[in-house]
Amino acid sequence: MKTAVTEPRWLRWLLIALALGFLALNLALPLIVVFAEAFRKGADAYLAAIRDPEALTALRLTLTVAAIAVPLNIVFGLAASWAIAKFDFRGKALLVTLIDLPFSVSPVVAGLIYVLLFGMQGWFGPWLRDHDVQIIFAVPGLVLATLFITFPFVARELIPLMEEQGREEEEAALSLGASGWATFRRVTLPNIRWGLLYGVLLCNARAMGEFGAVSVVSGHIRGKTNTLPLHIEILYNEYNFVAAFAVATLLAGLALVTLVVKSFLEWRYAEQLAGHGA
Amino acid sequence: MRWLIRSALAAGALAMALPTLAAPVTLLNVSYDPTRELYRSVNAGFARDWQAKTGQAVTINQSHGGSGKQARSVIDGLEADVVTLALSGDIDEIAARSQLVAPNWQGRLPYKSTPYWSTIVFLVRKGNPKQIRDWDDLVKPGVSVLTPNPKTGGGARWNFLAAWGYAQKTYGTPAAAQDFVRKLYAQVPVLDSGARGATTNFAERGLGDVLITWENEAQLAARELGAGRFEIVVPSVSIRTEPSVAVVDKVVDRRGTRKVAEAYLAYLYTPAAQELIARNGYRPRDAAVAQRYAARFPQLQLFDIDRNFGGWKKAQATFFADGAVFDRIYTPGPR
């Protein structure tokens, strides 16, 4: 009997070893380094760094920004992909291109766009100042920049999925008298929920980790407008390596939590996942 | 009647005591790169001082970065109550482009609003393996030099002018000086945006044989990053660097923080603050403090921005504006 695998055994092992080695080098090793550096001066130094008020503010700020940006991008992403996949209209290609824009624009440029719009020398800056509204160098600017950067993640995940699933089920639901909302909620949403979850996780990871765009609009006020990635850079630049890596473990921790949530959901809903194949 | 007087007196006494209950105030100090450690200690000192004098609690928030970049942020609306930048030219830029600072700001505090000064020195690795003693050694083949980008960093611009001044003095003509800085910047593998990035690249990532930087930054690196790993080399001649401070008029008037902001900058000139300044490696203005710390700050021949370069306005236009000398001599990337 002939097996499906034709490659010699040594080649299979070699490929597996290569893949694992690559993972170890590029993922496991940096993670180990982060934790090793963070605990280099012992648990006390680590805890002191984590409990530092500036670190806590940075953590809170990062979570706040993500908590605003991610839900908004879920709504935008759903609306955009729903419109693109289920309807035909003029300018659709343009819309798809626009959604991809944040992927192709450098984050620094993304940040500068907001400075040019809302900065004191920008279009709306003087008006905002007269009305006591602070957008850049404050939390709203951080949220806007993050929103822009993470905009494509949900939509990009959903568009191909929705296009592949086609419109038949929705059309059937509508022809049977379901309202648009009911169709979305009972037909579309269950079909796309795994894609949506991936999109949300990616979006969230990027929202918490974004550096470039946020750096431009932050103003770097310690204890006020520094998110975790910015705070890590500052600590590193102050030769405060233990604190920098300690705070980095917080960021790594947030990423790990995200992964655990994803794995748990996959395990919990394994059957449905297999059933829908999404 | 009696109790009325008494309660009136009591109310009066309460009113007198009220300043101790004054609402806490915050200031934002937008500063350049290497002053993080300096202002951490100065801020604590001022907060104690201010609380003792007025009963008001004051918190000073800090923002640090390349001096030019920081000035740009203030112009773009970063709400700084005070700016403490690497050179007067950057504060002039704020005054000119945004009118946030009154044009006469330099005359409002002693020493043209420069409460401390410093100079530019070299930091080399232990034992000085490339035998760097003076500016000429930097352009020798095989010497890799780290200095930040003069377009964004304040210290970077002082570095450039110090090198230029040396070359002009040694070789006589501006053409020769231009040739010297062209050679010098051809030896720079990476231009960081600020002094601190360059220090980290030199000290932590092991890039370069020599770092051109502020004396205070060199002292901090030599002290903080493991004693004995680095050596400071003081060249035969350098430049007198004068970081400047100013209250941002429009911001303090809008926020109602003028009084505390002005007191904060005035505090920098007090003996207590001058002591902190000297301890952090900046050269103090106070004669008594300067004398106490004389051993830390070697004497050397110094160029002056006003006398030798005609002031920052002229220097900026000649050397660092778009299409000026620096743009002509520096071509990034592999050569």
Side-chain angles (χ1 to χ4, degrees):
Chain A
M1 200 177 101
K2 224 178 151 188
T3 57
V5 185
T6 54
E7 287 81 6
R9 184 177 293 265
W10 65 268
L11 184 62
R12 272 183 275 152
W13 283 110
L14 183 71
L15 287 173
I16 292 171
L18 266 177
L20 284 180
F22 186 80
L23 278 179
L25 205 66
N26 282 293
L27 290 173
L29 200 62
L31 204 60
I32 293 168
V33 167
V34 165
F35 278 89
E37 285 288 318
F39 283 99
R40 204 174 54 183
K41 290 190 182 158
D44 286 346
Y46 176 83
L47 283 177
I50 300 282
R51 288 210 197 107
D52 181 75
E54 281 171 7
L56 291 177
T57 320
L59 175 64
R60 204 175 310 129
L61 188 59
T62 294
L63 293 176
T64 310
V65 168
I68 300 171
V70 173
L72 284 177
N73 271 340
I74 293 175
V75 175
F76 293 152
L78 275 173
S81 45
W82 167 268
I84 284 165
K86 309 286 178 188
F87 299 93
D88 292 311
F89 53 91
R90 263 148 103 59
K92 192 156 132 176
L94 184 70
L95 182 61
V96 175
T97 314
L98 278 179
I99 289 175
D100 280 343
L101 191 67
F103 274 157
S104 49
V105 166
S106 154
V108 174
V109 176
L112 284 176
I113 293 168
Y114 289 104
V115 173
L116 289 177
L117 279 178
F118 303 117
M120 270 303 275
Q121 311 297 311
W123 291 6
F124 307 113
W127 186 88
L128 289 167
R129 175 57 51 94
D130 291 343
H131 293 77
D132 259 326
V133 181
Q134 184 89 17
I135 290 189
I136 57 165
F137 308 125
V139 178
L142 297 174
V143 173
L144 280 174
T146 309
L147 212 52
F148 180 87
I149 291 297
T150 57
F151 183 73
F153 285 90
V154 173
R156 264 289 138 213
E157 201 66 37
L158 291 185
I159 292 170
L161 184 60
M162 284 194 181
E163 275 177 343
E164 191 195 343
Q165 287 171 352
R167 307 171 188 178
E168 289 84 2
E169 291 187 34
E170 279 86 356
E171 280 163 0
L174 287 172
S175 66
L176 290 174
S179 68
W181 172 243
T183 309
F184 174 74
R185 203 170 54 84
R186 318 259 306 245
V187 179
T188 310
L189 205 52
N191 278 340
I192 59 161
R193 68 174 159 221
W194 291 105
L196 182 61
L197 180 67
Y198 275 108
V200 170
L201 290 173
L202 284 177
C203 180
N204 186 52
R206 182 65 189 265
M208 292 193 299
E210 173 57 22
F211 179 86
V214 163
S215 170
V216 176
V217 298
S218 147
H220 303 274
I221 308 170
R222 305 186 61 135
K224 287 189 92 173
T225 61
N226 276 326
T227 58
L228 278 181
L230 299 180
H231 191 59
I232 292 167
E233 196 213 15
I234 284 186
L235 290 171
Y236 185 79
N237 278 346
E238 286 173 3
Y239 314 126
N240 205 339
F241 304 117
V242 167
F245 283 104
V247 176
T249 63
L250 288 183
L251 209 51
L254 289 176
L256 288 177
V257 167
T258 319
L259 276 182
V260 168
V261 169
K262 178 182 146 267
S263 306
F264 173 77
L265 288 174
E266 275 177 351
W267 167 76
R268 177 77 180 70
Y269 296 102
E271 268 172 42
Q272 294 172 31
L273 197 60
H276 278 289
Chain B
M1 194 63 204
R2 192 96 166 250
W3 68 266
L4 198 71
I5 293 170
R6 205 180 292 161
S7 45
L9 277 177
L14 196 67
M16 299 274 278
L18 262 184
T20 55
L21 303 171
V25 61
T26 62
L27 292 181
L28 175 58
N29 176 1
V30 171
S31 196
Y32 62 112
D33 233 354
T35 56
R36 305 153 193 255
E37 294 75 14
L38 168 68
Y39 279 109
R40 193 173 305 141
S41 53
V42 164
N43 291 351
F46 174 70
R48 265 196 311 276
D49 210 54
W50 183 254
Q51 174 116 41
K53 273 195 193 124
T54 65
Q56 186 179 34
V58 55
T59 310
I60 292 132
N61 293 312
Q62 288 291 141
S63 168
H64 294 276
S67 187
K69 186 185 117 206
Q70 293 291 79
R72 181 74 238 182
S73 292
V74 172
I75 293 168
D76 281 331
L78 181 58
E79 277 213 302
D81 297 277
V82 299
V83 284
T84 54
L85 296 179
L87 44 96
S88 62
D90 281 332
I91 303 185
D92 281 337
E93 198 77 8
I94 298 174
R97 286 184 190 258
S98 68
Q99 284 86 43
L100 290 168
V101 179
N104 69 343
W105 65 271
Q106 262 192 312
R108 297 190 296 201
L109 285 166
Y111 302 100
K112 289 192 287 181
S113 288
T114 59
Y116 40 84
W117 64 286
S118 189
T119 186
I120 299 298
V121 299
F122 308 150
L123 193 68
V124 297
R125 301 190 190 283
K126 185 187 173 172
N128 198 355
K130 297 268 166 127
Q131 290 301 303
I132 288 152
R133 305 268 170 246
D134 207 348
W135 292 98
D136 267 331
D137 299 321
L138 302 184
V139 296
K140 285 188 178 152
V143 173
S144 168
V145 182
L146 281 197
T147 178
N149 186 352
K151 294 279 187 175
T152 50
R157 269 170 278 175
W158 290 113
N159 292 354
F160 180 96
L161 291 181
W164 181 279
Y166 166 82
Q168 174 137 25
K169 176 175 164 279
T170 313
Y171 302 112
T173 64
Q178 182 154 335
D179 199 45
F180 180 82
V181 290
R182 186 199 304 278
K183 274 193 217 147
L184 177 66
Y185 279 85
Q187 318 254 49
V188 179
V190 50
L191 283 179
D192 275 287
S193 75
R196 189 49 65 86
T199 314
T200 330
N201 265 342
F202 178 76
E204 285 305 309
R205 290 168 209 159
L207 276 176
D209 301 308
V210 52
L211 171 75
I212 311 177
T213 192
W214 302 92
E215 183 182 45
N216 51 273
E217 182 75 357
Q219 290 196 5
L220 177 82
R223 195 171 62 232
E224 289 276 310
L225 295 174
R229 279 180 64 200
F230 307 105
E231 287 173 23
I232 295 173
V233 173
V234 180
S236 65
V237 51
S238 190
I239 193 163
R240 174 190 292 274
T241 61
E242 297 181 305
S244 305
V245 303
V247 162
V248 183
D249 296 280
K250 289 233 171 109
V251 173
V252 293
D253 288 340
R254 224 170 53 80
R255 296 188 63 226
T257 48
R258 177 175 283 280
K259 233 174 127 186
V260 53
E262 281 175 349
Y264 177 62
L265 292 189
Y267 174 77
L268 294 171
Y269 292 87
T270 62
Q274 292 280 306
E275 181 90 27
L276 297 174
I277 281 164
R279 242 185 264 162
N280 277 282
Y282 300 78
R283 299 188 177 212
R285 293 293 189 186
D286 187 284
V289 178
Q291 198 158 23
R292 260 204 307 286
Y293 286 87
R296 284 201 196 178
F297 304 113
Q299 298 284 328
L300 69 163
Q301 200 194 333
L302 294 166
F303 300 116
D304 185 272
I305 180 70
D306 293 324
R307 219 174 43 242
N308 300 92
F309 294 95
W312 265 112
K313 202 169 178 180
K314 186 158 170 244
Q316 182 72 28
T318 315
F319 297 107
F320 309 118
D322 273 339
V325 171
F326 182 75
D327 280 346
R328 289 204 297 275
I329 62 127
Y330 184 73
T331 29
R335 280 165 291 266

